[in-house]
Amino acid sequence: MIPSPFEYHAPTALPDVIALLSQYGDEAKLLAGGHSLLPMMKLRFAAPGHLIDLRKVAELKGISVVGSQLHIGAMTTENELIFSKLVAEHLPLLAEVARQIADPQVRYKGTIGGDISHGDPGNDHPAVMMAMDATFVLTGANGERLVKATEFFHGMYDTALTPGEVMTQIRIPIPAAGTGSSYAKLKRKTGDYATAAAAVVIRLQAGLCTQARIALTNVGPTALFAGDAAASLIGKPIDDVTITQAANLAMAICEPAPDLRGDEAYKTAMAGQMVERALRLAVAHVK
Amino acid sequence: MDQNVENHERLEKLEGIGCSRKRREDPRFIQGKGNYVDDIKLPGMLFAVMVRSPYAHAKIKSIDTTKAKAHPGVHAVLTADDLKPLKLHWMPTLAGDVQAVLADGYVSFQNQEVAFVVADDRYVAADAAELVEVDYEELPVVVDPFKALLPDAPVIRPDLDGKNVGAHGARKHHNHIFNWQIGDKDKTDRAFSDAEVTVAQDMHYPRVHPCPLETCGSVASYDAIRGDLTVWITSQAPHVVRTVVGLLSSIPESKIRIISPDIGGGFGNKVGVYPGYVCAIVASIVLGRPVKWIESRSENLTTTAFARDYWMSGELAADKSGKIKALRVNVTADHGAFDACADPTKWPAGMFHVCTGSYDIPNAHVSVDGVYTNKFPGGVSYRCSFRVTEAVYLVERMIDVLAQKLNIDKAEIRKRNFIKYEQFPYLTPLGLEFDSGNYMPALEKVLEAVDYNALRAEQAQKRADPTCPTLMGIGITTFTEIVGAGPSKSCDILGIGMFDSCEIRVHPDGSAIARMGTISQGQGHQTTYAQIIASESGIAASQIAVEEGDTSTAPYGLGTYGSRSTPVAGAAVARASRKIREKARKIAAHLLEVSPDDLEFDLDQFKVKGDPAKAKTMKEIAWAAYNNVPDGMEMGLEAVDYYDPPNFTFPFGAYLCVVDVHKKTGETKVRRFYALDDCGTRINPMIIEGQIHGGLTEGFAVAMGQELPYDEQGNVLGGTLMDYFLPTSMETPHWETDFTVTPSPHHPIGAKGVAESPHVGSIPCFSNAMVDAFAHLGTTHFNMPYNSYRVWQHAKSLGL
Ligand SMILES: Cc1cc2nc3c(=O)[nH]c(=O)nc-3n(C[C@H](O)[C@H](O)[C@H](O)COP(=O)(O)OP(=O)(O)OC[C@H]3O[C@@H](n4cnc5c(N)ncnc54)[C@H](O)[C@@H]3O)c2cc1C
């Protein structure tokens, strides 16, 4: 449990980060909260020669309302999400998911940017980002570009980030009135990744569902956007029948990898169960 | 009235038996001031790591250490070839087998120790370990003990080729270790053929690991000039380690000092001697510098001593009223690649023969076969006495199986079979003498406390309602443990009887130091031993320093495991205290110029009978012991006691658990857990409560999630805390505790030991509750651990 030797850099401004990234190329890894990267380094699954710590880069922190969106700095920690008044007011789902990630130790260090950038299908933010229709700001030597959450995750540990880029910000539209959301996660214990989880954002108008987004955690090589499941709800009331139907459609897109948490059948069934649970909770959360 | 107040104050000040004295050890632990083995730092100390086999079974064609040795900062790389000239490449195990210290030509489990790299620090050592080049040729793997016994199974231990007799008798196959039988087979078989009803059930007690928070480790420091070896080690049995090290190294025990510093939990994991310890010692002798070796978490979980892995087939014969006539048990015990079980020498299945439990069963027969597989060695007692958890699990499950077959309530069937209070001392058909017990009132108290009938009514209602999303299960156990190993006539380790010891020295100012052969790993010995001394000798607990764990100062003892500290060392403490008291009586008589018989002992002083104004306090007596003793008496006030218990002690309990099981996800919620324990005399109720909470939590962990599964290639799965279930406060149920008191008739203060009962008793209670949840659907058993995946699979198989 001892990492290979590496050199440590702690730049204080974003341009310096980008410069270091271009200098060291493949050799370098960005370090955010370290709670995904360091375990991999300790197991020697990752052995970067250079670690570029983002901790001192002030412009990567902070939460603000800009127009109809919430802008969240990539280096914002899970606990900052949990304790943020702006998040509580505008995007309670974000605090709800953060509370279900790992344990207090991890949440004090782990960042939303790191959780997303890592590209781990077991992480919880990716599905939530899809369900909330988030956009990521990626900054590199050539400036900024925007990538939608639904287009960001390419495969296991494989994302739209190119080697010279940093995720600097997460932008999430503030939901309209009548929206309810929830994240239902089945895990073995505190500190565990999801066996299966579902993020749901729905909008109810006059008792009918007018908007719906559903995404799933840890039942495929990336978080999965369950478009069909969500579409099946549009124009209908959310009741036992439509909930079961949506859950079945969500289960149809699952391709989980078996591990000690369960085999394919179990994880798929649990994805369905979590969709049902999240939908019921989302309805209860509508405001 | 004043007299009463004063007496009360004296009693409070004494902090003797029965008081909830706060734990003396806590201030240093909660302030981070503990001193664990990894806190030991010595001048010139080096650090070592193990190179381990990625394969479960392979021939080692060659090991090339050139690159590793050339790595800057590396001092030595040891392999079996380096240990051979010292005859240390193999070592004896506590079970009469041998174990490779470093692999000698082949590996037989994944993560087996292959080479030992010693370097300036742990970072250099880790880098250099990667440079050791080992050329393996993979061999077929067997991880299933039943497959291991097939005629053409791979040979796991070529070193045993041709040895048809092992430490425990004949071996019937190249992967067979022993067959051990106890009980009257013919009578038992006859009882079965004559029986009105019989039931049979197979069950697997999975391979688990005690997983103490602190992993194993040691610092060895050999002083070549003085010829002394000092080893700091996370050991539950430092004196035994000293004897083993003496045997292995030929250094006299007088020149070996083993120090167990603070220990971050043991639970059986820290009884044995592991290859890392031996290598650290050799490296220190060779290099002339202190060498530290500390396991990583995964090394701990996958190499140093698992527990359980018992495949048990139980059978009960009974009459139609549920009265049990006979118990028959066959066990296939998976011991891994080396038989490194920690059991008393004569009993290769430990005290499994306590498996007739709290029940008056006239006939019983047990047969246990030990088997080698390509898995890491162990078979330790995880928070229990030797194999007692397995035994209790078997009988507590079997009686439920019988209840279901006969459609008798699970509390009722226990009542019908209890050994009655008047039957104690009770000789079991498997040859144990239960010293005391009073089972009926304990169970009745629990049933009343939880309103058992109402719970069963609620369950019936839920079962009748198909739309109910959950299943409700009620589990009961009424277990009897056997602890306090043990009488030297039946128990020894490496030929040393399993006594324990205490030495007390009272200083001139009336304070005292006491040392024992045991070693606390969280049990609170510093606190409770002082309470025994206080009550027995009249010295206030706050004035007593308790020290353990340093073999150069503590008297020889067999250590702390199997709940033996209170039953064995605690008895020595009481008896040594009484020796102090008796000498004090003579000194007091001398000072008061009366006969010792004219004195009566009152808390902390001797009073003249009939003239209570004339008295001498222990403080005054202690001072006199150093300047004014009767003619012919030696000065000083000291005592030593080595206690060889006449029998084991038999704590018992009645537990009840209520679970709710989600039909669609397999999630379970322990709604209620009521634990009544009877550990005889209660020394410190608060510590008892703490130990019970801890034991129940560990029992919960075992039942609900702990498991070290293997794949067919012999890869151990789940060897990290991500997979291996260590519950946090978030998962842990709420515990309700209760007690009755049935003192042990043979123990000097009537105490029985308590810290393991909650582990032993709760695990079958969770199983019984889980099975009960499905009982109306025909389930008589399904195996632990009850993680939601497994529970869901079970529910699915029943069409839920
Ligand atoms: C015991 C434990 C349990 C856990 N359980 C969960 C869980 O249940 N759910 C969950 O979602 N997560 C879980 N995690 C992971 C945790 O949330 C991590 O903190 C998170 O995945 C990564 O965030 P980080 O800030 O720690 O990133 P780091 O570990 O520092 O980095 C992760 C990766 O992202 C890259 N990176 C980081 N920041 C940026 C950036 N701004 N731009 C580009 N690349 C970047 C790094 O180079 C690295 O490759 C758990 C971790 C542990 C140790």
Side-chain angles (χ1 to χ4, degrees):
Chain A
M1 291 302 278
I2 303 278
S4 308
F6 56 86
E7 213 173 298
Y8 175 78
H9 308 268
T12 51
L14 194 54
D16 299 341
V17 173
I18 310 246
L20 282 165
L21 273 180
S22 36
Q23 184 179 347
Y24 294 114
D26 290 355
E27 279 277 87
K29 267 274 176 203
L30 295 173
L31 175 68
H35 272 295
S36 286
L37 184 54
L38 296 188
M40 293 184 97
M41 288 171 63
K42 286 182 169 188
L43 292 166
R44 298 196 172 210
F45 294 156
H50 295 267
L51 273 192
I52 305 169
D53 193 342
L54 298 177
R55 186 168 55 98
K56 294 187 174 165
V57 184
E59 60 249 66
L60 296 180
K61 283 222 157 223
I63 304 172
S64 54
V65 176
V66 178
S68 60
Q69 291 187 324
L70 210 63
H71 287 193
I72 301 164
M75 284 296 286
T76 304
T77 65
E78 306 296 350
N79 262 325
E80 286 162 350
L81 296 176
I82 291 171
F83 297 127
S84 159
K85 288 214 173 73
L86 289 177
V87 169
E89 186 182 339
H90 299 295
L91 292 172
L93 176 57
L94 205 49
E96 187 184 335
V97 64
R99 273 195 295 272
Q100 296 183 61
I101 290 176
D103 51 52
Q105 266 174 307
V106 173
R107 295 195 292 258
Y108 270 108
K109 282 296 224 175
T111 65
I112 181 170
D115 196 278
I116 298 167
S117 304
H118 193 48
D120 185 339
N123 278 0
D124 294 303
H125 280 298
V128 173
M129 293 299 124
M130 289 177 170
M132 293 198 299
D133 198 17
T135 301
F136 307 138
V137 182
L138 312 184
T139 309
N142 303 326
E144 285 184 357
R145 63 189 180 109
L146 301 183
V147 179
K148 286 244 168 209
T150 41
E151 274 139 39
F152 181 78
F153 303 100
H154 295 170
M156 178 128 32
Y157 306 123
D158 183 7
T159 67
L161 277 164
T162 57
E165 279 179 323
V166 185
M167 177 178 292
T168 45
Q169 204 176 64
I170 293 99
R171 297 180 180 169
I172 307 174
I174 294 172
T179 302
S181 60
S182 185
Y183 190 64
K185 176 176 177 179
L186 182 74
K187 56 183 174 180
R188 295 174 298 183
K189 59 170 178 179
T190 301
D192 194 18
Y193 293 90
T195 300
V200 164
V201 179
I202 47 150
R203 189 166 180 213
L204 291 183
Q205 286 170 300
L208 299 181
C209 179
T210 55
Q211 286 172 26
R213 293 178 72 90
I214 300 175
L216 310 172
T217 297
N218 223 8
V219 282
T222 66
L224 301 178
F225 187 64
D228 291 346
S232 75
L233 296 166
I234 303 297
K236 298 181 190 147
I238 296 188
D239 56 22
D240 286 354
V241 175
T242 55
I243 286 176
T244 308
Q245 190 187 14
N248 286 338
L249 286 166
M251 283 162 65
I253 63 166
C254 293
E255 36 177 342
D259 59 22
L260 293 180
R261 292 184 186 87
D263 61 7
E264 213 179 311
Y266 179 60
K267 289 183 169 189
T268 304
M270 291 310 103
Q273 287 293 316
M274 292 305 111
V275 168
E276 292 193 17
R277 211 174 263 186
L279 276 170
R280 288 182 212 285
L281 284 167
V283 170
H285 291 169
V286 166
K287 59 172 191 189
Chain B
M1 175 234 143
D2 282 346
Q3 192 59 39
N4 280 343
V5 171
E6 191 207 310
N7 281 350
H8 186 74
E9 273 172 12
R10 278 165 58 214
L11 187 66
E12 291 232 304
K13 208 174 134 217
L14 205 58
E15 295 186 290
I17 293 172
C19 103
S20 282
R21 180 177 192 234
K22 281 196 181 161
R23 284 167 33 111
R24 293 301 108 165
E25 29 290 269
D26 287 348
R28 72 175 191 279
F29 292 138
I30 47 192
Q31 294 178 73
K33 298 285 200 269
N35 187 38
Y36 299 95
V37 71
D38 205 9
D39 294 320
I40 308 287
K41 292 188 179 68
L42 302 176
M45 188 174 77
L46 302 173
F47 198 95
V49 303
M50 276 291 179
V51 176
R52 298 180 178 278
S53 167
Y55 302 110
H57 199 193
K59 212 174 123 188
I60 296 180
K61 289 170 33 189
S62 65
I63 305 179
D64 187 349
T65 59
T66 328
K67 281 187 198 149
K69 281 181 176 151
H71 190 72
V74 171
H75 293 259
V77 181
L78 302 179
T79 66
D81 285 343
D82 301 298
L83 301 180
K84 258 177 212 164
L86 306 166
K87 297 206 168 59
L88 282 178
H89 53 314
W90 289 82
M91 63 177 181
T93 69
L94 296 180
D97 195 3
V98 289
Q99 172 174 2
V101 174
L102 291 175
D104 183 18
Y106 67 94
V107 289
S108 45
F109 66 91
Q110 187 183 46
N111 285 352
Q112 188 174 337
E113 300 79 6
V114 174
F116 192 71
V117 178
V118 189
D120 281 338
D121 59 42
R122 58 183 93 200
Y123 298 91
V124 176
D127 290 342
E130 295 215 314
L131 302 174
V132 175
E133 292 169 350
V134 187
D135 190 4
Y136 295 98
E137 181 185 313
E138 284 186 71
L139 296 169
V141 170
V142 57
V143 293
D144 174 333
F146 298 99
K147 289 186 185 156
L149 289 178
L150 296 177
D152 57 349
V155 179
I156 293 165
R157 292 287 299 279
D159 61 296
L160 299 180
D161 186 30
K163 286 195 183 152
N164 296 327
V165 178
H168 306 288
R171 300 171 62 221
K172 63 180 188 201
H173 178 278
H174 54 261
N175 293 328
H176 185 245
I177 310 174
F178 63 83
N179 173 264
W180 181 72
Q181 298 195 19
I182 191 162
D184 189 327
K185 186 167 185 330
D186 293 341
K187 265 181 70 190
T188 305
D189 288 348
R190 237 175 296 131
F192 269 89
S193 21
D194 296 346
E196 292 175 7
V197 188
T198 63
V199 286
Q201 184 66 57
D202 291 345
M203 53 191 94
H204 180 218
Y205 206 128
R207 175 173 276 237
V208 294
H209 193 281
C211 196
L213 286 187
E214 179 202 26
T215 61
C216 296
S218 67
V219 178
S221 179
Y222 183 69
D223 182 328
I225 295 168
R226 296 156 59 114
D228 286 355
L229 174 67
T230 306
V231 188
W232 287 262
I233 190 166
T234 55
S235 176
Q236 295 176 237
H239 285 95
V240 177
V241 171
R242 188 180 73 192
T243 300
V244 172
V245 171
L247 284 173
L248 287 172
S249 66
S250 314
I251 301 173
E253 285 194 60
S254 59
K255 294 240 164 225
I256 304 169
R257 181 177 183 190
I258 306 293
I259 303 174
S260 280
D262 283 331
I263 297 186
F267 312 114
N269 180 227
K270 295 171 178 172
V271 174
V273 172
Y274 298 121
Y277 303 159
V278 178
C279 290
I281 291 169
V282 172
S284 178
I285 294 174
V286 171
L287 297 169
R289 291 173 67 169
V291 175
K292 178 186 277 188
W293 170 76
I294 305 284
E295 280 181 325
S296 71
R297 174 61 58 192
S298 288
E299 285 179 299
N300 180 249
L301 279 174
T302 64
T303 67
T304 46
F306 72 93
R308 323 276 151 82
D309 218 345
Y310 256 35
W311 298 83
M312 304 186 276
S313 300
E315 292 169 89
L316 285 177
D319 67 18
K320 285 190 188 125
S321 73
K323 184 83 193 69
I324 302 170
K325 302 293 180 192
L327 168 72
R328 197 157 55 190
V329 188
N330 283 288
V331 179
T332 299
D334 186 339
H335 283 222
F338 304 101
D339 187 12
C341 252
D343 286 319
T345 306
K346 295 186 189 80
W347 288 340
M351 278 135 23
F352 187 83
H353 48 307
V354 75
C355 63
T356 50
S358 309
Y359 312 109
D360 185 11
I361 302 179
N363 304 292
H365 181 257
V366 172
S367 170
V368 181
D369 285 289
V371 182
Y372 291 121
T373 58
N374 287 122
K375 290 148 89 174
F376 73 102
V380 297
S381 322
Y382 173 5
R383 204 179 186 133
C384 64
S385 241
F386 314 103
R387 301 291 187 187
V388 171
T389 308
E390 291 90 325
V392 168
Y393 188 79
L394 178 107
V395 68
E396 289 300 320
R397 281 279 41 253
M398 286 313 300
I399 195 162
D400 268 22
V401 173
L402 179 65
Q404 281 182 217
K405 167 108 178 189
L406 291 170
N407 210 6
I408 298 174
D409 177 80
K410 288 166 182 171
E412 176 58 29
I413 197 160
R414 288 174 160 80
K415 292 182 183 173
R416 289 186 195 172
N417 284 287
F418 277 148
I419 302 165
K420 295 188 184 61
Y421 181 66
E422 314 80 70
Q423 286 175 278
F424 291 95
Y426 174 86
L427 188 66
T428 75
L430 298 177
L432 295 167
E433 190 187 282
F434 285 14
D435 66 347
S436 59
N438 197 3
Y439 304 141
M440 189 71 85
L443 176 58
E444 279 174 346
K445 198 172 180 198
V446 171
L447 297 178
E448 199 185 306
V450 301
D451 197 350
Y452 181 65
N453 292 334
L455 286 172
R456 284 289 177 204
E458 180 191 346
Q459 182 186 46
Q461 217 170 34
K462 290 204 158 136
R463 282 179 176 174
D465 173 9
T467 68
C468 181
T470 56
L471 301 166
M472 176 178 168
I474 302 167
I476 299 172
T477 49
T478 45
F479 61 94
T480 294
E481 250 206 306
I482 171 170
V483 306
S488 62
K489 58 180 187 285
S490 49
C491 295
D492 71 86
I493 284 186
L494 298 170
I496 298 170
M498 295 187 72
F499 61 85
D500 226 291
S501 59
C502 171
E503 178 197 287
I504 303 173
R505 295 182 193 172
V506 184
H507 306 313
D509 67 353
S511 67
I513 182 160
R515 297 187 171 106
M516 296 83 188
T518 47
I519 171 76
S520 187
Q521 309 122 41
Q523 293 87 344
H525 290 177
Q526 263 194 299
T527 312
T528 49
Y529 283 152
Q531 290 180 251
I532 299 176
I533 300 172
S535 281
E536 294 291 337
S537 75
I539 300 168
S542 62
Q543 301 299 301
I544 300 163
V546 172
E547 273 187 16
E548 301 174 291
D550 182 340
T551 59
S552 285
T553 55
Y556 202 106
L558 276 276
T560 294
Y561 42 86
S563 273
R564 62 187 303 283
S565 296
T566 298
V568 190
V573 172
R575 298 206 318 174
S577 307
R578 288 173 190 177
K579 290 177 189 172
I580 298 276
R581 189 174 74 202
E582 287 320 300
K583 183 167 181 184
R585 176 191 295 274
K586 290 189 186 126
I587 297 172
H590 166 69
L591 297 176
L592 293 163
E593 298 179 340
V594 294
S595 145
D597 295 339
D598 292 335
L599 292 176
E600 62 184 355
F601 183 65
D602 176 29
L603 292 180
D604 57 354
Q605 55 187 240
F606 281 97
K607 288 185 195 161
V608 177
K609 289 178 191 163
D611 188 2
K614 284 180 83 181
K616 286 287 168 194
T617 64
M618 280 305 290
K619 196 172 162 68
E620 291 166 320
I621 296 166
W623 180 251
Y626 291 88
N627 58 36
N628 183 9
V629 296
D631 276 349
M633 179 185 274
E634 280 179 33
M635 290 243 172
L637 193 51
E638 301 188 4
V640 183
D641 193 82
Y642 281 73
Y643 183 74
D644 182 8
N647 191 2
F648 300 91
T649 61
F650 298 86
F652 64 92
Y655 290 0
L656 189 141
C657 169
V658 185
V659 293
D660 294 306
V661 180
H662 195 288
K663 288 178 188 166
K664 293 281 181 234
T665 62
E667 291 164 289
T668 56
K669 170 115 188 91
V670 175
R671 186 204 307 179
R672 191 145 193 209
F673 200 101
Y674 197 94
L676 179 147
D677 274 282
D678 190 319
C679 60
T681 302
R682 291 157 58 85
I683 300 166
N684 182 322
M686 185 172 63
I687 286 192
I688 291 174
E689 175 112 354
Q691 292 296 318
I692 291 182
H693 280 213
L696 293 174
T697 305
E698 267 185 344
F700 170 75
V702 170
M704 295 304 178
Q706 293 192 341
E707 182 183 25
L708 284 173
Y710 277 78
D711 68 13
E712 287 297 311
Q713 287 74 49
N715 299 305
V716 51
L717 310 172
T720 73
L721 291 186
M722 183 56 78
D723 286 313
Y724 195 73
F725 179 51
L726 217 54
T728 70
S729 59
M730 301 297 288
E731 289 78 39
T732 304
H734 174 70
W735 308 120
E736 298 169 79
T737 60
D738 198 350
F739 63 97
T740 54
V741 177
T742 310
S744 165
H746 63 74
H747 186 277
I749 60 167
K752 295 183 173 180
V754 74
E756 298 176 337
S757 300
H759 184 98
V760 169
S762 70
I763 296 168
C765 196
F766 292 114
S767 278
N768 286 351
M770 290 301 295
V771 172
D772 189 62
F774 294 96
H776 59 303
L777 304 169
T779 299
T780 55
H781 180 77
F782 69 116
N783 284 328
M784 296 184 287
Y786 306 113
N787 54 45
S788 45
Y789 174 33
R790 192 179 290 252
V791 174
W792 177 83
Q793 282 177 314
H794 186 70
K796 221 41 201 158
S797 75
L798 297 170
L800 286 175

